[in-house]
Structure formats: structure tokens, C-alpha cells
């Protein structure tokens, strides 16, 4: 089954304790990204990756790191979590980078089930 | 970063009624997507509109992209309880490689 998986689904941690949220897709997608979702603010992009070893900042990258060593995996790292990073996090992937000509095919974002993170 | 504003933020209607959700921006987008998100799940793509003035229909859902590619609407005819969810619009910036989401419209269809 084609899917994006995230782990863990739920996490409660304390300020300053490093954590990693994993994301994996089995669709051979080039483009992957991380979003956080907060009430009234919609989805805000944290980081994105157009391909292996190619990553770039989104709208809210402060306090986060990512890596793309393999095409299928795109972990999100919080080196020193703070309470303002309490949120619902989504990983997403798409076939090709946005801007491709066949937008219906390449542009569809497939989202993971989400990770609810609470930082105390 | 281009901004997308959705309205209304919340909509509660009775089964069988029609509803329209709006997505507006002062900026031009190359394409615009509509997603639906249910509790505990990630958003799922409903449709992508690319051409200014384009209208796409998906059963009881009608999506329209404004002529100037700055706005879009989602119209649901004869809404059903299964249409309940969070509807999100997302615009692809003209420069590409970035998708900007609106704040979402939470729709509740009561039986």
C-alpha cells in the first residue's frame, strides 16, 4: 500500500530533550516536506526537500533540523524542544517538485497520519 | 510568503443544504489545491485547479479558480454528514517549489 508513515504518533517530552520524528514514504517520491498545524493557522511549512541531499527552509524553520540521506526518509529533528513547538506535525511527499508541468500528477501532496507533540 | 485567507472559518449546516467556502489572496498562484482533513488524519487531496476560470466538478463538489488565479471557491450541493471535515486550500507560488496553505474551514453537516 502506497503510504507515508510517521513515528511516533504521539509524544510528550520535556524542554531541551532532543527528539526525532521519523517520516518514510514508499512511493519513490522526490519531494518531501514537514508541516506543523496549529489552530487557526492552518498548515505551515517547516522544511522541504526536493531530492536526496537537497533541503531548504520553509516558513517556520527555527528550532528544527532535517536531513535527506535517502529518498524514502525525511526525519525531523528538534535539538532542544521548547513549549512553543507543541503542535501537530505532518510529513508529506509528492511525485515531483512543485512547478512541474503536469501539476495534477506531480503536485499532489500525500500526507502522513500526523505526530502530536507536547513539550512540557 | 504569499497568504491565503479562507472564509468562513467555521460553517454549520443541516443535511441537504448547500455551502460555499472561499479562498482568497492578493497574490497570483500557479495552481490551487483543495484538501479535506478528518480528525486524526492527514489532509487528502480533492482537486487541483490550474487555469484561470477553471471549474472542476467532483460529484456534489464544484471547485472554481478565479480568472486572475488569486482566489478559489468550493461549493457543496446537498451536503451530507459525510462531508463534515476541515477543508484546506493550498496555493502553489508562481516561482514554484512552495505550497502555501489557508487557515482552513471547519464544516459540520448535521443530520
Amino acid at each position: 500500500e502506497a503510504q507515508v508513515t510517521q513515528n511516533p504518533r504521539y509524544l510528550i517530552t520535556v524542554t531541551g530533550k532532543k527528539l526525532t520524528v521519523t517520516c518514510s514514504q514508499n512511493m519513490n517520491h522526490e519531494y518531501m516536506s514537514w508541516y506543523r498545524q496549529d489552530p487557526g493557522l492552518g498548515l505551515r511549512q517547516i522544511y522541504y526537500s526536493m531530492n536526496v541531499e537537497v533541503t531548504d527552509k520553509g516558513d517556520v524553520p527555527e528550532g528544527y533540523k532535517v536531513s535527506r540521506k535517502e529518498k524514502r526518509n525525511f526525519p525531523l529533528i528538534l535539538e532542544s524542544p521548547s513549549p512553543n513547538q507543541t503542535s501537530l506535525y505532518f510529513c508529506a511527499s509528492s511525485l515531483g517538485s512543485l512547478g512541474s508541468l503536469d501539476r495534477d500528477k506531480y503536485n499532489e501532496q500525500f500526507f502522513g497520519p500526523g505526530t502530536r507533540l507536547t513539550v512540557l | 510568503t504569499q497568504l491565503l485567507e479562507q472564509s468562513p472559518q467555521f460553517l454549520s449546516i443541516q443535511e441537504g443544504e448547500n455551502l460555499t467556502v472561499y479562498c482568497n489572496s492578493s497574490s497570483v498562484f500557479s495552481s490551487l489545491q483543495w484538501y479535506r482533513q478528518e480528525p486524526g488524519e492527514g489532509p487528502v487531496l480533492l482537486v487541483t485547479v490550474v487555469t484561470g476560470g477553471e471549474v472542476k466538478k467532483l460529484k456534489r463538489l464544484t471547485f472554481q479558480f478565479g480568472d486572475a488565479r488569486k482566489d478559489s471557491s468550493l461549493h457543496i450541493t446537498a451536503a451530507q454528514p459525510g462531508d463534515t471535515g476541515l477543508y484546506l486550500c493550498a496555493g502553489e507560488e508562481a516561482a514554484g517549489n512552495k505550497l502555501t496553505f489557508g487557515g482552513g474551514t471547519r464544516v459540520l453537516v448535521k443530520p
Side-chain angles (χ1 to χ4, degrees):
Chain A
E1 180 189 356
Q3 61 183 351
V4 178
T5 56
Q6 294 178 227
N7 282 292
R9 294 289 312 278
Y10 302 91
L11 180 60
I12 300 174
T13 190
V14 295
T15 298
K17 187 177 181 181
K18 180 180 178 179
L19 67 93
T20 299
V21 183
T22 64
C23 172
S24 183
Q25 50 92 5
N26 62 1
M27 295 170 279
N28 200 36
H29 283 172
E30 286 186 353
Y31 187 95
M32 297 185 74
S33 58
W34 276 101
Y35 296 88
R36 59 179 288 175
Q37 186 174 34
D38 302 288
L41 297 177
L43 285 157
R44 294 180 292 169
Q45 191 179 55
I46 303 171
Y47 268 95
Y48 65 94
S49 169
M50 293 171 61
N51 214 323
V52 175
E53 301 292 0
V54 181
T55 63
D56 209 346
K57 295 177 180 178
D59 294 318
V60 288
E62 294 77 22
Y64 304 95
K65 284 174 56 177
V66 292
S67 68
R68 188 89 181 275
K69 292 185 171 62
E70 306 165 283
K71 198 171 187 179
R72 64 182 295 129
N73 296 322
F74 190 45
L76 178 70
I77 303 155
L78 283 71
E79 293 272 4
S80 183
S82 61
N84 64 13
Q85 292 178 299
T86 292
S87 187
L88 180 58
Y89 291 86
F90 287 99
C91 179
S93 71
S94 63
L95 185 60
S97 60
L98 301 181
S100 300
L101 290 177
D102 191 352
R103 288 191 173 89
D104 277 11
K105 184 179 180 183
Y106 288 97
N107 220 2
E108 178 179 1
Q109 300 279 299
F110 290 83
F111 285 85
T115 295
R116 187 166 291 282
L117 172 66
T118 301
V119 183
L120 302 174
Chain B
T1 301
Q2 297 170 307
L3 296 176
L4 271 171
E5 291 190 6
Q6 285 187 240
S7 61
Q9 287 187 312
F10 180 73
L11 199 52
S12 178
I13 60 172
Q14 292 294 136
E15 182 177 1
E17 293 181 341
N18 301 333
L19 68 96
T20 302
V21 177
Y22 298 94
C23 179
N24 293 296
S25 174
S26 58
S27 305
V28 176
F29 289 99
S30 299
S31 67
L32 198 133
Q33 302 175 344
W34 283 94
Y35 290 82
R36 180 163 160 260
Q37 183 180 14
E38 298 193 39
E41 299 180 8
V44 175
L45 181 70
L46 295 173
V47 78
T48 300
V49 284
V50 178
T51 307
E54 182 177 3
V55 177
K56 279 192 175 178
K57 291 192 175 183
L58 195 65
K59 297 183 180 178
R60 294 175 295 99
L61 278 61
T62 301
F63 304 86
Q64 185 162 6
F65 201 14
D67 291 340
R69 290 186 286 132
K70 293 182 179 181
D71 55 87
S72 182
S73 64
L74 156 62
H75 182 79
I76 301 179
T77 304
Q80 300 176 358
D83 295 324
T84 293
L86 178 67
Y87 289 83
L88 296 157
C89 64
E92 175 191 358
E93 295 184 3
N97 298 323
K98 186 164 173 52
L99 206 59
T100 299
F101 281 83
T105 295
R106 194 163 296 281
V107 172
L108 174 63
V109 183
K110 293 180 281 189

